[in-house]
Amino acid sequence: MKVGDYVLTHRGAFKRVTKVFTHQYYGSMVEVIPWYTNMPMVSTLDHPILIAPSVRVPQTVWRQSYNLEELTWKEAKALSLEDFMAFPRIGSSPQQVLDLREFLMPVQHTKYCEVDCKKKHHLNWDRNPVKETITISPEVLETIGLYLAEGCVSVQTRGIQTRFCFGKAIKEYSYAHLVEKTLQVDFGVRTLHWIMESTNVIDISSRSLGRFFSLFGKNSKEKRLPPWAILLPEEQIRWVLKGMFEGDGNHSYYAFNYSSSSFSMVSQLRLILFKLGILNGVKIVKAYPSNINGRVIKSRTPNYVVTISGDAARRFARLIESDHDGGQRTSGNFGFVTEKQCLIPIRKIGLSNYHGPVYNLEVESDESYTTLWGVVHNCSYKHLGSAKIKLQEAMASEGKRLQEKVTDAWDQLNEVETTHLTRWPELIPKLREMRKRLEPSVFTATPPDPKLLGEIEAFRKEVLLYEGEEQGHEHAHGAVVQESDEKSLNLPINSILT
């Protein structure tokens, strides 16, 4: 995360990050694990978190009696299992036409490259360009979803290539046919469809198409959705979800699952599902080696799985027109969907010790940001927690300066004792008394008494003054002896020095 990035605030709006804070922290941290995830949110004790308090009340049927009070900010150390984490439901902005000139970067200059047989090609010349405008049809959106699951973009010597890889099952051929037809008709590009031993591949050599799909990530770890796609209304975004789950999704009897190695993609998918009123969870799973045609494939990145079950699975099945009914016998979800938020209960709260960097964001206007686990406050100056954090940072900075002063004072006392006080034993008791008063600050890192630091500096100057007086006396005595010797030789001083 960097300055200029956009985050989702508790009001359901995307706001710009204006500052990123980081500082070293040593102490206890709160670990909060909501339902439907195995990854804890780790926070300092006093970081404010947006929750719905006391939703659970004594009842015989849990989902038929509950309180939905106003959302409130609560420090992490004060959270309880009665609290629910809140996720904002973002708004929608329908879009009918894509103007590719708005998204594609213009080429700044012309370059040449030597290719086979010394043929020259313009690197900025696209022999297979896309149309300048594209109507956002269900087929286009489903193709985008299939790219998020099965596509990639690679930059090669002679151009930019976009590739879709499918299996050889009957349904995979239908997906490949949809993609090929959409690219030819809607995007206006030529495609190459070929069959490998175990793969059904569509290749498109087109710089403009490659730049367009790069907006969605070039490889599996970079997959993401641009802002305009996230804000699409339900009747449009459902086709993107359909393509994604056709490619990287699966279902069991009780749930739908979507797997991805992109943390950004998983986070965005979760927000889109909440926007549609579909409760969901995300878990990190260990990636085991797989075997493809005798080749062992080892994953270098963690795998994230978004799960939709219960009532939410049935709603999702209708949304993407799935043959699977979502498991009619499954129970309801542990959570609630309101007009502006989705609420997920806290399953576990714990404490852990931590020593290392902690981070915080300053966000314009709304002063909050949404994480994978819920909404947290950015502790800006408008919130009480902000003053606390900024005071801690100032104290840490001031403490560092004070500690440097303490170290300097300690070194000064050692220097005075070992270098100067051998000739003035009457000053040793005063030095030892100052050393005793300074020891707690040296060995426990507690702030020293400013008066003490002043006394040590004054004591050091006093010792130097003693030494200066003694050296002055020695210099005066040496000058008298030298003068008498010069007179005895009856020579001018200048002639002796030269």
Side-chain angles (χ1 to χ4, degrees):
M1 185 64 64
K2 59 184 182 299
V3 174
D5 288 347
Y6 283 80
V7 294
L8 180 65
T9 70
H10 69 287
R11 301 183 190 277
F14 288 96
K15 298 291 184 179
R16 191 170 62 89
V17 176
T18 56
K19 194 169 183 181
V20 178
F21 299 96
T22 178
H23 66 274
Q24 291 294 317
Y25 177 86
Y26 181 79
S28 298
M29 301 282 275
V30 178
E31 293 186 353
V32 182
I33 304 180
W35 276 89
Y36 308 121
T37 184
N38 61 354
M39 297 181 290
M41 179 182 73
V42 183
S43 168
T44 52
L45 300 179
D46 53 358
H47 203 105
I49 299 173
L50 184 66
I51 55 97
S54 305
V55 174
R56 290 175 175 154
V57 295
Q59 54 192 297
T60 55
V61 182
W62 179 65
R63 289 183 58 81
Q64 293 184 10
S65 179
Y66 58 89
N67 290 328
L68 279 181
E69 303 176 2
E70 290 294 326
L71 299 182
T72 184
W73 297 102
K74 183 183 284 190
E75 290 187 342
K77 63 185 177 184
L79 294 177
S80 68
L81 297 181
E82 284 71 36
D83 296 328
F84 278 55
M85 305 294 286
F87 295 85
R89 299 181 64 183
I90 58 180
S92 298
S93 177
Q95 193 161 343
Q96 303 302 326
V97 176
L98 277 180
D99 185 353
L100 296 189
R101 293 171 298 184
E102 179 184 349
F103 299 104
L104 302 183
M105 294 296 293
V107 177
Q108 300 296 331
H109 52 80
T110 303
K111 293 182 180 179
Y112 297 89
C113 66
E114 293 290 335
V115 193
D116 298 337
C117 301
K118 297 183 180 180
K119 294 181 180 179
K120 292 184 178 180
H121 296 269
H122 287 278
L123 287 183
N124 66 332
W125 180 43
D126 195 350
R127 294 173 297 173
N128 191 16
V130 298
K131 296 178 180 178
E132 292 186 351
T133 59
I134 297 175
T135 301
I136 302 181
S137 63
E139 292 78 17
V140 169
L141 295 173
E142 189 172 351
T143 297
I144 290 174
L146 286 168
Y147 173 81
L148 290 169
E150 307 291 0
C152 65
V153 171
S154 60
V155 180
Q156 302 179 353
T157 304
R158 299 185 61 178
I160 301 176
Q161 179 175 278
T162 305
R163 170 172 287 188
F164 291 78
C165 295
F166 300 98
K168 299 182 72 174
I170 296 177
K171 65 177 183 178
E172 299 282 331
Y173 276 102
S174 66
Y175 302 155
H177 177 70
L178 169 68
V179 169
E180 187 175 23
K181 183 178 179 181
T182 302
L183 293 175
Q184 293 174 355
V185 176
D186 294 273
F187 286 85
V189 295
R190 298 185 302 275
T191 63
L192 175 63
H193 189 178
W194 51 293
I195 308 297
M196 296 178 65
E197 183 178 351
S198 60
T199 315
N200 187 5
V201 179
I202 298 176
D203 280 340
I204 311 97
S205 181
S206 169
R207 300 182 192 279
S208 52
L209 185 73
R211 292 192 186 106
F212 170 73
F213 277 114
S214 293
L215 295 173
F216 302 88
K218 293 182 179 180
N219 54 57
S220 59
K221 291 184 290 186
E222 298 177 1
K223 291 298 175 61
R224 61 189 181 274
L225 282 167
W228 62 265
I230 298 175
L231 295 175
L232 291 174
E234 178 178 330
E235 58 271 16
Q236 290 183 309
I237 196 65
R238 62 194 290 257
W239 296 104
V240 178
L241 297 177
K242 180 178 174 65
M244 292 172 60
F245 275 79
E246 286 171 343
D248 277 343
N250 63 77
H251 62 77
S252 61
Y253 184 77
Y254 297 105
F256 288 91
N257 303 295
Y258 180 83
S259 301
S260 177
S261 59
S262 170
F263 185 82
S264 297
M265 185 69 257
V266 166
S267 302
Q268 291 177 334
L269 175 58
R270 199 163 197 216
L271 293 178
I272 291 172
L273 293 172
F274 284 138
K275 159 187 168 178
L276 301 176
I278 297 175
L279 297 177
N280 62 89
V282 60
K283 295 182 179 181
I284 185 171
V285 297
K286 185 177 180 179
Y288 293 96
S290 58
N291 192 302
I292 300 178
N293 295 331
R295 294 183 300 122
V296 177
I297 309 298
K298 294 183 179 180
S299 176
R300 298 179 181 178
T301 57
N303 193 40
Y304 304 96
V305 178
V306 176
T307 302
I308 309 168
S309 60
D311 297 335
R314 290 186 280 276
R315 162 121 168 76
F316 185 73
R318 294 190 296 270
L319 184 71
I320 64 171
E321 300 178 354
S322 172
D323 295 334
H324 183 59
D325 60 8
Q328 293 297 328
R329 296 184 180 180
T330 59
S331 62
N333 297 106
F334 291 95
F336 300 98
V337 178
T338 68
E339 182 180 355
K340 295 183 179 181
Q341 287 91 19
C342 287
L343 306 176
I344 301 292
I346 296 176
R347 181 168 62 91
K348 188 177 179 181
I349 302 174
L351 289 175
S352 63
N353 291 323
Y354 178 77
H355 184 198
V358 292
Y359 303 90
N360 188 28
L361 304 179
E362 184 178 275
V363 182
E364 64 179 355
S365 183
D366 290 346
E367 306 165 3
S368 61
Y369 51 96
T370 303
T371 69
L372 198 64
W373 302 269
V375 180
V376 297
H377 207 283
N378 69 352
C379 295
S380 66
Y381 62 92
K382 291 184 181 178
H383 195 276
L384 289 178
S386 168
K388 201 170 186 179
I389 284 183
K390 291 190 175 181
L391 179 60
Q392 289 174 349
E393 292 176 348
M395 287 176 62
S397 178
E398 181 63 24
K400 185 177 179 181
R401 290 194 293 270
L402 285 175
Q403 194 61 30
E404 290 174 353
K405 291 181 180 179
V406 168
T407 304
D408 290 343
W410 187 260
D411 292 340
Q412 287 173 8
L413 291 177
N414 288 336
E415 180 186 358
V416 167
E417 181 180 24
T418 57
T419 307
H420 305 290
L421 292 192
T422 53
R423 288 171 290 181
W424 305 297
E426 65 273 15
L427 297 178
I428 291 180
K430 189 174 182 180
L431 179 140
R432 289 178 177 172
E433 184 265 337
M434 288 184 177
R435 187 197 299 278
K436 187 175 181 180
R437 291 166 58 192
L438 188 63
E439 276 184 358
S441 297
V442 175
F443 298 109
T444 63
T446 56
D449 183 1
K451 276 187 177 182
L452 176 60
L453 297 179
E455 291 176 13
I456 292 174
E457 181 64 24
F459 176 68
R460 181 171 175 273
K461 290 180 179 179
E462 181 183 356
V463 171
L464 293 177
L465 184 62
Y466 267 71
E467 186 178 34
E469 290 176 353
E470 183 174 291
Q471 288 177 353
H473 176 69
E474 291 176 353
H475 288 324
H477 178 70
V480 171
V481 173
Q482 186 181 28
E483 184 179 356
S484 62
D485 290 342
E486 290 170 355
K487 287 181 178 179
S488 64
L489 292 173
N490 202 20
L491 293 171
I493 295 178
N494 290 339
S495 62
I496 295 175
L497 295 176
T498 58

